[in-house]
């Protein structure tokens, strides 16, 4: 008891500086755990005592039957020892927005025991190309239950005709899709209507993207940007997904390549985006299996012409169903397809040349064409680790009516599978969202990863 008094520990909870929060009830912790707290506190948080308690503490906490929600757990040096800081304890319990508040000392993220799935979905489509969507309130629940705390909502810049019974353009070849502002208005109003559901610490914190810009008619873009930002102040912080070239849309009279001359005509609206710090995300197919780098000159023109803009190349730098990077070459191969090594080298060169250039890791096509192959996945892990500040997580999920929550969870898991292999720095910046926060100047900070035993 004297030791507890010296350390500033008061029983029952909350226990002094350790703040073990039990909503609506008082806690009973195992005596061994309390002894650890006292021992570490009085000893100043170092030495063998700290190591022993650090090893046993989390396991003891998991054994407490009435421990419903630990919102903050930290080991701090004893007040009697002058308050020197010690190593953080792992975060226990469900991850919430509280763990990302700037200035909050909430513990560290233990990759050895916690999920490797991203908490940020920077590429989420809440409405389909045509037909009704999954109800927005259901989508909020899907994101919360999946552990997604931050999301950027894209509209779909090309819509199927309102009299079409199609929800997906590939199911209706020959049916034209055309640029439309409908999705952008729908997304904004849905977000406002769901404000109560989004007001808890489960989030998700949501921003909106302007997706209706028609790159072939650049003079129409600024009026749309101004209209949406005036109607919904502070809600639209992103522009995209904008199609530079999308081969999958060719059969729907859309998606044809933008010319270099048209890129030069973007200057007025790209200047507006630069002035407001708004990132622009482009879908630009790199090529196809017959001509793997066919459209690279278009993307290079964008990067050279607008070096001060925050440009995001979607889908791991232009991968698509039309282009599958191959594993490293074998001597027996006759033809020369695009190898993953060549693709990664091309991206590396552009990341080195263009400091405002970022790459999005969305779409389960990446899983099917890259991540399932350990040799190919390792090539991109090396690239991600070399440029940890330049990548963003996302799913590219399209919430057409009839899709199930399990489908979203599967797509989130597939697009996150690469994160189990990346470095701690890359994991914090991409999967835990620090790059996303920095890009949008959000007042959140990703928790650090717990130190690993040597």
């Amino acid at each position: 008891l004297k030791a507890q008094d010296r350390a500033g520990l008061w029983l029952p909870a909350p226990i002094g500086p350790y703040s073990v929060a039990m909503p609506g009830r008082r806690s009973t912790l195992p005596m061994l755990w309390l002894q650890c707290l006292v021992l570490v506190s009085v000893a100043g948080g170092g030495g063998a005592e700290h190591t022993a308690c650090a090893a046993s503490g989390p396991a003891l906490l998991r054994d407490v039957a009435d421990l419903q929600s630990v919102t903050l757990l930290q080991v701090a040096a004893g007040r009697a020892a002058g308050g020197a800081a010690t190593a953080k304890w792992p975060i226990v319990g469900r991850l919430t927005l509280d763990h990302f508040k700037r200035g909050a000392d909430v513990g560290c993220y233990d990759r050895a025991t916690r999920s490797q799935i991203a908490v940020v979905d920077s590429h989420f489509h809440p409405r389909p190309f045509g037909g009704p969507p999954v109800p927005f309130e259901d989508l909020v629940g899907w994101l919360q239950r999946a552990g997604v705390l931050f999301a950027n909502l894209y509209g779909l810049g090309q819509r199927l005709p309102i009299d079409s019974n199609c929800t997906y353009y590939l199911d209706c070849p020959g049916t034209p899709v055309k640029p439309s502002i409908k999705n952008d208005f729908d997304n904004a109003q849905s977000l406002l209507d769901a404000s109560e559901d989004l007001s808890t610490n489960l989030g998700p914190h949501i921003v909106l993207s302007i997706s209706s810009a028609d790159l072939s008619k650049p003079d129409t873009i600024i009026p749309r940007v101004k209209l949406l930002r005036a109607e919904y102040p502070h809600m639209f912080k992103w522009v995209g997904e904008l199609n530079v070239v999308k081969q999958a849309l060719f059969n729907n009279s859309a998606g044809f390549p933008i010319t270099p001359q048209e890129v030069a005509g973007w200057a007025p609206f790209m200047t507006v985006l630069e002035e407001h710090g708004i990132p622009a995300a482009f879908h630009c197919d790199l090529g196809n299996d017959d001509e793997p780098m066919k459209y690279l000159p278009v993307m290079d023109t964008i990067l050279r012409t607008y070096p001060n803009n925050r440009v995001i190349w979607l889908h791991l730098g232009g991968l698509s169903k039309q282009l599958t990077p191959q594993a490293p070459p074998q001597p027996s191969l006759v033809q020369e397809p695009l190898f993953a090594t060549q693709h990664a080298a091309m991206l590396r060169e552009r990341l080195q040349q263009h400091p405002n250039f970022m790459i999005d890791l969305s779409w389960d096509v990446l899983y099917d064409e890259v991540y399932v192959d350990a040799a190919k996945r390792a090539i991109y892990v090396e690239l991600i680790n070399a440029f940890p500040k330049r990548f963003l997580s996302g799913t590219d999920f399209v919430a057409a009516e009839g899709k199930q929550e399990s489908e979203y969870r599967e797509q989130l898991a597939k697009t996150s599978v690469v994160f189990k292999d990346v470095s701690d720095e890359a994991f914090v910046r991409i999967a835990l969202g620090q790059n996303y926060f920095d890009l949008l100047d959000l007042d959140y900070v990703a928790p650090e990863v717990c130190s690993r035993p040597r």
Side-chain angles (χ1 to χ4, degrees):
L1 291 177
K2 287 182 180 180
Q4 292 166 8
D5 183 60
R6 284 179 57 200
L9 300 176
W10 301 97
L11 306 180
I15 308 177
Y18 306 96
S19 300
V20 182
M22 312 290 181
R25 60 198 301 178
R26 300 170 81 83
S27 66
T28 303
L29 296 176
M31 184 53 67
L32 178 57
W33 174 240
L34 298 180
Q35 289 171 346
C36 276
L37 290 178
V38 174
L39 186 60
V40 172
S41 186
V42 173
E49 299 90 347
H50 176 269
T51 302
C53 289
S56 62
L60 286 167
L61 277 176
R62 288 194 293 270
D63 290 337
V64 181
D66 67 346
L67 188 61
Q68 291 189 335
S69 175
V70 177
T71 59
L72 175 62
L73 174 64
Q74 87 182 72
V75 175
R79 294 171 185 171
T86 67
K88 291 182 177 180
W89 286 100
I91 295 169
V92 179
R94 183 170 185 171
L95 208 62
T96 72
L97 291 175
D98 294 336
H99 294 104
F100 293 80
K101 288 183 177 178
R102 185 176 298 277
D105 195 353
V106 294
C108 58
Y109 193 93
D110 185 3
R111 293 184 68 186
T113 60
R114 299 193 70 94
S115 170
Q116 303 295 295
I117 292 178
V119 302
V120 175
D121 191 344
S122 72
H123 194 141
F124 186 85
H125 296 279
R127 301 186 70 88
F129 292 89
V134 175
F136 193 77
E137 58 270 23
D138 292 348
L139 292 179
V140 171
W142 292 9
L143 293 167
Q144 290 175 340
R145 288 187 290 273
V148 173
L149 295 169
F150 303 91
N152 172 51
L153 305 189
Y154 282 118
L156 286 165
Q158 289 77 34
R159 291 268 303 180
L160 288 159
I162 59 174
D163 58 355
S164 171
N165 59 1
C166 289
T167 60
Y168 189 38
Y169 58 89
L170 288 180
D171 295 332
C172 302
T175 301
V177 297
K178 296 181 179 180
S180 172
I181 200 171
K182 295 185 183 75
N183 269 186
D184 292 339
F185 276 103
D186 289 338
N187 287 348
Q189 193 57 50
S190 295
L191 183 56
L192 291 175
D193 294 342
S195 58
E196 184 174 349
D197 293 335
L198 295 167
S199 63
T200 74
N201 67 354
L202 299 180
H205 175 281
I206 290 178
V207 299
L208 298 176
S209 181
I210 297 173
S211 302
S212 55
D214 185 348
L215 295 179
S216 66
K217 299 178 180 178
D219 57 315
T220 67
I221 296 177
I222 290 180
R224 287 191 175 188
V225 170
K226 289 183 176 180
L227 172 63
L228 288 164
R229 286 171 64 86
E231 291 288 336
Y232 300 99
H234 312 299
M235 294 176 65
F236 285 94
K237 300 179 182 293
W238 199 293
V239 169
E241 174 175 5
L242 305 182
N243 289 333
V244 175
V245 53
K246 185 173 181 177
Q247 298 162 97
L249 284 173
F250 286 0
N251 287 332
N252 300 91
S253 305
F256 299 114
I258 296 295
T259 67
Q261 294 75 21
E262 288 172 320
V263 172
W266 297 353
F269 85 83
M270 291 294 278
T271 299
V272 171
L273 300 188
E274 179 188 342
E275 291 173 348
H276 290 86
I278 299 173
F282 296 104
H283 181 122
C284 180
D285 289 352
L286 179 59
N288 52 61
D289 289 334
D290 293 328
E291 300 177 90
M293 301 281 191
K294 182 176 183 178
Y295 303 114
L296 178 59
V298 184
M299 196 67 203
D300 280 341
T301 299
I302 295 171
L303 293 173
R304 286 196 307 268
T305 307
Y306 305 105
N308 297 323
N309 283 84
R310 299 175 177 182
V311 170
I312 304 167
W313 195 356
L314 301 177
H315 312 315
L316 189 51
L319 296 189
S320 66
K321 293 180 180 179
Q322 289 75 36
L323 176 63
T324 301
Q326 302 300 310
Q330 302 297 320
S332 60
L333 287 176
V334 178
Q335 291 184 325
E336 284 283 323
L338 176 71
F339 295 114
T341 48
Q342 295 171 319
H343 181 230
M346 178 274 292
L347 294 177
R348 180 185 295 269
E349 181 180 357
R350 280 142 188 84
L351 288 166
Q352 292 169 336
Q353 292 173 346
H354 305 287
N356 290 314
F357 167 50
M358 299 186 75
I359 297 171
D360 134 306
L361 300 173
S362 70
W363 205 5
D364 57 4
V365 164
L366 305 186
Y367 176 85
D368 298 332
E369 296 184 355
V370 175
Y371 298 158
V372 294
D373 185 315
K376 288 195 282 186
R377 186 174 69 248
I379 292 166
Y380 293 99
V381 167
E382 181 181 358
L383 178 69
I384 291 169
N385 287 343
F387 298 91
K389 297 182 180 181
R390 310 288 286 281
F391 292 85
L392 297 164
S393 59
T395 63
D396 197 20
F397 184 78
V398 179
E401 184 182 57
K403 286 193 175 181
Q404 303 299 312
E405 181 174 356
S406 60
E407 295 178 75
Y408 175 69
R409 297 287 282 270
E410 180 183 12
Q411 202 154 331
L412 178 64
K414 284 184 172 181
T415 51
S416 293
V417 74
V418 68
F419 299 134
K420 65 183 176 62
D421 297 330
V422 302
S423 68
D424 287 347
E425 181 184 6
F427 187 83
V428 169
R429 298 209 66 92
I430 307 167
L432 294 183
Q434 192 59 55
N435 289 345
Y436 179 81
F437 308 149
D438 292 347
L439 180 66
L440 294 174
D441 197 25
L442 300 180
D443 196 27
Y444 289 100
V445 177
E448 63 187 70
V449 168
C450 300
S451 299
R452 301 183 185 185
R454 295 183 179 180

